[in-house]
Amino acid sequence: MTTPQVPDPHQLAALRERYRHERERRVRPDGAAQYRDADAEFGYYAADPYTEEPDRRGPRHDTVDVAVIGAGFGGILAGARLRQQGVERVRFVEKGGDFGGTWYWNRYPGVHCDVESHVYLPMLEETGYVPEWKYAPGDEIRRHAVRIARTYGLYADTLFSTGVTSLTWEENSETWIVATDRGDAFRATYVVNATGTLTDPKLPGIPGIEKFTGHTFHTSRWDYAYTGGTPQGGMTRLADKRVGIVGTGATGIQVIPMLAQDAAHLYVFQRTPSTVDVRANRRTTARDVGADREGWARGRRENYLRIVSGEDAGQDLVADRWTESAGLLEKLLPSFRRQSDRAEFEAAYEAADAAKMNELRARVEQSVTDPETAEKLKPWYRYACKRPTFSDLYYPAFNRDNVTLVDTADTHGIEHVTEHGVTVGPTTYQLDCLIFATGFNVGTSGISSGKLPVHGRNGVQLLHSWARRGPRTLHGFTSNGFPNLIQMGALQNASSVNFTHILDEQAVHAAALITAAEAAGALIEPSPEAEDAWIAVLAENAPDHAWFHAECTPGYYNREGRGRPNGAFAYPHSAVAFHELLARWRAESIEEILQDRTAHHSHR
């Protein structure tokens, strides 16, 4: 790995001005409203192409101990940890046709995880599996999700191809009524919401998109019937097709080289280039990762989390570009809080960031032969403004004669779609196929989005109860007035680039809450005072990150250029510190959340 050269003050001043200019080229007045949901007239973009026909079951009207909403890694881990605690009557409800969540939906050519598989894939030791690649392909990840589900017997009572439409607390029975789009209305003593954030595809709100007469689909619902091939490539049916792809984020970086190999011509419509660092993927063996030692996977995962969280870890067991760049990612805000002089920190951080970004822009020049194309592919913003990506195939794809990069920054994106193509500026690009690599509606699925109405005590809807003062939780999991409802996710919780680790710790916590409630014959429900205390912890230490995101290029990190709101939305310290906090709380104070089942009945 090269050592980046630190710019001098004059270079930094010029860089700031370039960043500002490039940001202004891309900011749109409609912000996040430039995207539309894949529903209603565009619902076919979200249809499941991988399960031909859902099972013809009848509606369920029975009772289970725990309903888990979502069967991605969050839900799978919750189910597995509950099984380890002896909880048997666990029912999953999942929109997809199998376990896997994001990895059920994402099957596009070239799909891989960008976090090392030996720390990303959970429960490796419990299932006796050692990943085959340093960065696992999607199919290997999906198979591992299924492996965990089978190991813990999670298939027995799972409702696939089913969406939950409402959750309603019934005081008399002290159970949740779970209603679905297939006529189910069953009861559950506890509900674990694990709907995740990467399931609902989003589309650009381009005028005329509905008029295009060619073929079109979203990358999360890849149409192999049209393209031919597999996630490994071989899309022979594109050999005579002019293909356009919209989006150059993490998905685009992976799929574009595959399309470049197989399409007659590929047009890449780019608004903002991603940072693309070295991937260096390779096959691995058990010996490579020390899998002959007991506790190897947990030790490697904890080591990784400490490094990317800005904590001292000693040896770097993973040693990749994530851990190398930790100081510019998760370490950013913890480092800022540890500095006594804000100006000194910002100056040091800006210099280190500029050195890293100069290194990445130099990589573009070294990889792309056409100077004009190379210039368009250079990212002009700070490293942590957008999710970093990694590929050794992406830049070389633009050296092919059949690949054209179309920069849309000056027109703030594609202007409109015609019956036969896409218009940018004065040019209309004739296409046979248009593919959207525009990602998911991050943070807009499930309970917190309002798409899944939740009615707690006295019929109060969860989002209505949060409308005046914002989200109210204890540790991000539970809320007063909504007993026995446990939420998994990043809200008022921890986060990391390796989110499966976060989800596993959340699953352990959820299982502990349910086990404690069962043992005590109590309800899981924090008091308003407990919520207030947690909000105070978040607010007192909340970092002032507006200064950073306000200067970033638009993207989902900063609400498409409108800045990231300050407030009590996430735990402000490292994920390591949060996990330690939860462990202490379970050991010392878990009884604080357990409410007497009879306490509310006297007030009916």
Side-chain angles (χ1 to χ4, degrees), residues 52-353:
E52 292 185 4
E53 184 177 352
D55 59 314
R56 297 183 179 181
R57 62 173 181 82
R60 303 293 175 87
H61 299 285
D62 54 353
T63 300
V64 298
D65 293 327
V66 185
V68 179
I69 305 173
F73 273 121
I76 292 168
L77 291 166
R81 298 305 182 188
L82 285 166
R83 284 282 194 265
Q84 290 176 337
Q85 296 294 328
V87 181
E88 292 300 324
R89 292 194 305 167
V90 180
R91 173 173 292 159
F92 288 83
V93 186
E94 165 59 34
K95 288 182 180 180
D98 202 347
F99 285 94
T102 298
W103 300 103
Y104 173 83
W105 298 113
N106 273 341
R107 306 192 194 191
Y108 56 81
V111 60
H112 280 69
C113 184
D114 61 9
V115 173
E116 191 203 57
S117 56
H118 306 90
V119 298
Y120 181 80
L121 295 181
M123 305 194 88
L124 291 174
E125 291 178 84
E126 292 90 335
T127 57
Y129 183 67
V130 180
E132 302 172 19
W133 291 86
K134 186 170 178 67
Y135 302 98
D139 188 57
E140 184 179 5
I141 300 171
R142 188 169 61 257
R143 290 198 311 269
H144 186 63
V146 169
R147 181 181 296 111
I148 299 173
R150 287 176 174 164
T151 299
Y152 290 93
L154 305 184
Y155 275 95
D157 193 15
T158 296
L159 308 181
F160 289 121
S161 302
T162 303
V164 175
T165 55
S166 68
L167 296 172
T168 305
W169 175 254
E170 186 180 79
E171 198 73 51
N172 290 331
S173 64
E174 293 185 329
T175 58
W176 286 96
I177 300 174
V178 183
T180 79
D181 56 9
R182 295 185 63 182
D184 306 295
F186 66 89
R187 299 174 187 275
T189 306
Y190 307 93
V191 171
V192 177
N193 178 57
T195 49
T197 60
L198 300 179
T199 56
D200 296 338
K202 69 180 180 183
L203 302 169
I206 306 171
I209 191 173
E210 71 283 355
K211 298 178 181 179
F212 182 62
T213 58
H215 198 74
T216 182
F217 56 87
H218 191 276
T219 50
S220 68
R221 308 296 193 267
W222 195 270
D223 190 349
Y224 284 105
Y226 178 82
T227 66
T230 69
Q232 289 71 49
M235 295 174 282
T236 56
R237 295 179 184 175
L238 297 182
D240 61 346
K241 300 293 192 296
R242 299 162 298 179
V243 178
I245 183 166
V246 182
T248 53
T251 296
I253 299 304
Q254 294 182 340
V255 75
I256 284 167
M258 310 298 285
L259 289 170
Q261 292 178 15
D262 296 331
H265 200 96
L266 176 66
Y267 294 93
V268 178
F269 297 97
Q270 169 193 276
R271 181 184 69 171
T272 307
S274 290
T275 60
V276 186
D277 213 332
V278 173
R279 173 75 299 164
N281 199 8
R282 63 181 185 275
R283 285 193 175 275
T284 56
T285 66
R287 184 175 181 179
D288 292 336
V289 294
D292 56 333
R293 301 189 304 270
E294 184 177 354
W296 73 271
R298 183 167 189 84
R300 192 177 186 88
R301 189 172 62 171
E302 292 287 350
N303 174 268
Y304 183 83
L305 186 67
R306 294 194 72 85
I307 292 171
V308 299
S309 296
E311 304 284 346
D312 181 33
Q315 181 185 4
D316 183 354
L317 297 178
V318 172
D320 67 358
R321 290 301 173 108
W322 279 117
T323 58
E324 179 199 49
S325 302
L328 299 177
L329 295 167
E330 266 67 12
K331 197 176 176 182
L332 170 63
L333 293 175
S335 294
F336 173 71
R337 285 189 298 276
R338 286 196 291 267
Q339 303 297 317
S340 57
D341 187 316
R342 171 170 174 163
E344 181 181 343
F345 165 73
E346 288 191 23
Y349 183 84
E350 182 183 32
D353 183 277

Side-chain angles (χ1 to χ4, degrees), residues 363-433:
R363 186 174 188 238
V364 181
E365 292 183 351
Q366 295 160 6
S367 305
V368 180
T369 55
D370 177 56
E372 183 178 350
T373 301
E375 189 60 34
K376 292 177 181 177
L377 287 167
K378 290 180 182 178
W380 295 100
Y381 46 82
R382 289 189 177 186
Y383 186 65
C385 284
K386 295 177 71 70
R387 183 175 177 88
T389 71
F390 309 86
S391 175
D392 299 328
L393 304 175
Y394 183 69
Y395 290 139
F398 291 94
N399 295 329
R400 300 176 61 102
D401 293 337
N402 69 322
V403 177
T404 299
L405 177 66
V406 182
D407 183 57
T408 69
D410 287 330
T411 56
H412 298 280
I414 295 171
E415 291 176 274
H416 61 267
V417 177
T418 69
E419 290 185 4
H420 304 294
V422 166
T423 299
V424 178
T427 306
T428 296
Y429 300 88
Q430 301 293 311
L431 303 174
D432 300 298
C433 177

Side-chain angles (χ1 to χ4, degrees), residues 166-172 175-176 453-465 480-483:
S166 68
L167 296 172
T168 305
W169 175 254
E170 186 180 79
E171 198 73 51
N172 290 331
T175 58
W176 286 96
V454 178
H455 294 88
R457 294 191 188 279
N458 303 314
V460 175
Q461 191 166 335
L462 180 64
L463 291 191
H464 292 171
S465 72
N480 180 261
F482 301 86

Side-chain angles (χ1 to χ4, degrees), residues 152 361 545:
Y152 290 93
R361 286 187 285 267
H545 46 219

